[in-house]
Amino acid sequence: MWVDRSFRKFPNTKGIVSDANAKRDGWKMCGSWPNRTESVYNAEYAARACAELSGVTKCGKWYVD
């Protein structure tokens, strides 16, 4: 499991943002982690969780919290 985080900030947004909007200024892959206590600084940035399951990568929606 890992987290993708946008380079673009969303200072006035909370909640889900579109894939195109989150990726507009680029993004980076953070992780992967061996345990659940690791974290990504994502205040004002969009982030999404991703995992590889049986050789297939699945990612959630981009979210700003």
Side-chain angles (χ1 to χ4, degrees):
M1 179 169 196
W2 66 91
V3 172
D4 292 338
R5 198 207 78 188
S6 67
F7 286 132
R8 182 171 187 219
K9 283 188 170 187
F10 297 88
N12 299 315
T13 303
K14 298 289 182 197
I16 295 171
V17 296
S18 72
D19 189 63
N21 207 12
K23 291 179 177 177
R24 185 177 357 186
D25 295 332
W27 56 275
K28 67 178 181 176
M29 180 178 159
C30 307
S32 72
W33 297 287
N35 61 57
R36 298 182 335 169
T37 61
E38 301 291 332
S39 64
V40 173
Y41 176 78
N42 69 319
E44 298 186 348
Y45 296 93
R48 67 179 179 180
C50 297
E52 187 174 318
L53 308 165
S54 301
V56 178
T57 298
K58 299 282 187 179
C59 294
K61 298 203 181 271
W62 290 97
Y63 192 85
V64 181
D65 65 355

